[in-house]
Amino acid sequence: MAEPLGFRPLYRQVKAIFVRRLVDGVWAPGEGLPSEGQLAAEIGVSQGTVRKALDELAAENLVVRKQGRGTFVAEHDERRILFQFFKLVPDQGERRFPDSAVLSVTTGVADAAEREALDLPARDKVIRIRRLRSFDAAPLIVETLSLPQRLFRGLEVDPIPNNLYSLYAARYGVTIAHARERLKAVALAPDDAVLLGVAARSPALQVDRLALALDGMPVERRLSLCLTEEAHYLSDLR
Amino acid sequence: MAEPLGFRPLYRQVKAIFVRRLVDGVWAPGEGLPSEGQLAAEIGVSQGTVRKALDELAAENLVVRKQGRGTFVAEHDERRILFQFFKLVPDQGERRFPDSAVLSVTTGVADAAEREALDLPARDKVIRIRRLRSFDAAPLIVETLSLPQRLFRGLEVDPIPNNLYSLYAARYGVTIAHARERLKAVALAPDDAVLLGVAARSPALQVDRLALALDGMPVERRLSLCLTEEAHYLSDLR
DNA sequence: AAGTGGTCTAGACCACATT
DNA sequence: ATGTGGTCTAGACCACTTG
């Protein structure tokens, strides 16, 4: 009578140890990890097992490996966000990052959609950030972010940087690991159309993003309305 | 004076041998590969090196590994297409595959967009398939496919199955390995709106797909107009 | 019981970056 | 010269599937 339960390979247990250290901030973004040999000796497994654990973390973009230099905790620098999280690219010209103008920062009780997405109990509060993003002063995206207030205390009192994911990591120890986006084509409401400088009822690409932390906890919801006259959402199917 | 050229690890050379066999159809979809040990002995490398080559092919969905059974050439069965290539999912209910009704099959000289996408010389011909796809008789997508005629001779004279990628592989030896999609929100032209049963100028999600074969050659362009009232395009950012 | 892929180890050597 | 990750090997054993 063998165990009907799943088998858990050693390298996954090692990986779990490493993820724990990332979640707890023992290893902070940008920092270099100990060498494979040191980690192997510390944990008491072979170097090959550590290697396999680190390879999986690298495949998930949680660490970056550099031959001859070492293994480093991944950062949310502009380049990474541009390629991993920002899928809207100009039809012509280089892939680049838009400017952001914050329209408002408010707090309030989460509505049904926010509670559902962020897995919040009733009456929990969220911070809402509304901003307009542009390429060369040409409005491109108007978006509303919703964040659980209990995770991001004090965020609303300071200036909002363009690169939010870097701020989440540095100030709140929250690392965005991946995201799920749901896309629809919609007709713009009059007020959004005004902000984007187009006619009401113009078609726009609506992107409903839920961003998840290292441990899988949902930490940010982002509802974006994008003009796609001169840009498109790029999706690679592999 | 060392070689300034790139270093090419052994397992990648082995992988290239395997890809060659897939491209040439020596190993056909669904077929089982020789065991790792046999391949290692045949090529004259260690089993670990063969393993690393096969692991990469599995990561690219070109082969499927089944513990205790063997390694198999990936097929374009319904499940794979549903998860890898069909990103439009119902807002409520299970992920599923729409029905297809072919509207027309024609041939003609490739236009500028088709030549650009498919990398065709001037005056080359394409086969165009236009079809309407529905969930439970509710129209969802109207799409036009463009295929290089020289790759798919005779395709236009036979009935068009719902699962085209399986047909490409079985009859023309063309395996679709991955695809690149560009999304925009557009207002429906009157004739497309009629087909989809909505008002003219309704917003729709336009998906411009370019599908690439194993060797990276572009082999299919597909322009889809999707209604997103009760469905959405799902994109996972990892 | 036999065959397959999956894991784990130990050691040698290579490529790359830094000192 | 040293230290890092990357490759390659050989062998042992484990988990899973099939006959």
Side-chain angles (χ1 to χ4, degrees), chain A residues 9-11 46 49 52 67 69:
Chain A
L10 187 51
Y11 75 86
S46 81
T49 300
K52 193 153 186 184
Q67 181 170 145
R69 304 222 304 126

Side-chain angles (χ1 to χ4, degrees), chain B residues 56-116:
Chain B
E56 285 208 354
L57 293 178
E60 295 167 24
N61 296 308
L62 300 185
V63 303
V64 178
R65 319 200 73 184
K66 297 179 182 173
Q67 182 171 144
R69 305 224 299 126
T71 304
F72 303 82
V73 182
E75 287 184 279
H76 279 105
D77 55 6
E78 189 153 311
R79 188 138 91 286
R80 178 183 173 192
I81 290 192
L82 195 54
F83 283 88
Q84 188 181 352
F85 291 108
F86 193 74
K87 310 301 283 183
L88 205 66
V89 314
D91 291 342
Q92 266 107 33
E94 283 298 302
R95 198 161 176 159
R96 63 208 164 110
F97 218 52
D99 303 316
S100 294
V102 174
L103 302 175
S104 68
V105 179
T106 60
T107 65
V109 174
D111 63 29
E114 289 165 334
R115 285 202 312 272
E116 150 80 16

Side-chain angles (χ1 to χ4, degrees), chain B residues 2-237:
Chain B
E3 294 250 17
L5 289 179
F7 165 66
R8 183 101 170 295
L10 186 52
Y11 74 87
R12 285 209 191 269
Q13 302 176 40
V14 173
K15 181 184 170 189
I17 294 174
F18 295 164
V19 169
R20 174 89 274 156
R21 293 182 184 181
L22 293 171
V23 171
D24 293 347
V26 177
W27 292 338
E31 205 172 303
L33 271 58
S35 73
E36 294 181 351
Q38 289 172 328
L39 290 169
E42 177 207 333
I43 300 178
V45 299
S46 80
Q47 180 175 341
T49 299
V50 166
R51 160 168 289 275
K52 192 152 188 185
L54 291 177
D55 280 345
E56 285 208 354
L57 293 178
E60 295 167 24
N61 296 308
L62 300 185
V63 303
V64 178
R65 319 200 73 184
K66 297 179 182 173
Q67 182 171 144
R69 305 224 299 126
T71 304
F72 303 82
V73 182
E75 287 184 279
H76 279 105
D77 55 6
E78 189 153 311
R79 188 138 91 286
R80 178 183 173 192
I81 290 192
L82 195 54
F83 283 88
Q84 188 181 352
F85 291 108
F86 193 74
K87 310 301 283 183
L88 205 66
V89 314
D91 291 342
Q92 266 107 33
E94 283 298 302
R95 198 161 176 159
R96 63 208 164 110
F97 218 52
D99 303 316
S100 294
V102 174
L103 302 175
S104 68
V105 179
T106 60
T107 65
V109 174
D111 63 29
E114 289 165 334
R115 285 202 312 272
E116 150 80 16
L118 296 171
D119 198 18
L120 296 178
R123 295 193 309 284
D124 247 37
K125 288 192 167 182
V126 292
I127 301 168
R128 297 196 187 92
I129 301 169
R130 199 162 151 76
R131 60 181 184 172
L132 183 65
R133 317 187 74 178
S134 312
F135 277 153
D136 305 327
L140 182 72
I141 306 172
V142 55
E143 66 186 5
T144 303
L145 294 83
S146 305
L147 306 165
Q149 190 182 44
R150 69 174 56 182
L151 279 181
F152 297 99
R153 296 244 173 249
L155 182 82
E156 66 271 29
V157 303
D158 281 319
I160 305 292
N162 195 349
N163 183 344
L164 279 167
Y165 288 1
S166 175
L167 175 70
Y168 298 166
R171 195 159 133 191
Y172 299 95
V174 172
T175 298
I176 302 297
H178 65 273
R180 184 261 293 143
E181 296 194 326
R182 293 178 171 154
L183 282 64
K184 284 174 178 277
V186 300
L188 281 175
D191 52 341
D192 291 325
V194 169
L195 285 168
L196 291 168
V198 296
R201 313 301 301 164
S202 295
L205 184 65
Q206 173 187 282
V207 181
D208 186 352
R209 172 191 294 184
L210 184 64
L212 309 176
L214 278 171
D215 55 2
M217 181 176 48
V219 292
E220 181 207 75
R221 189 227 188 184
R222 185 182 292 216
L223 195 61
S224 306
L225 292 165
C226 314
L227 294 184
T228 55
E229 290 290 334
E230 294 171 333
H232 58 269
Y233 184 102
L234 183 60
S235 175
D236 269 310
L237 279 39

Side-chain angles (χ1 to χ4, degrees), chain A residues 17-33:
Chain A
I17 294 174
F18 295 164
V19 170
R20 174 88 275 155
R21 293 183 186 180
L22 294 172
V23 171
D24 294 346
V26 178
W27 292 337
E31 205 173 303
L33 272 58

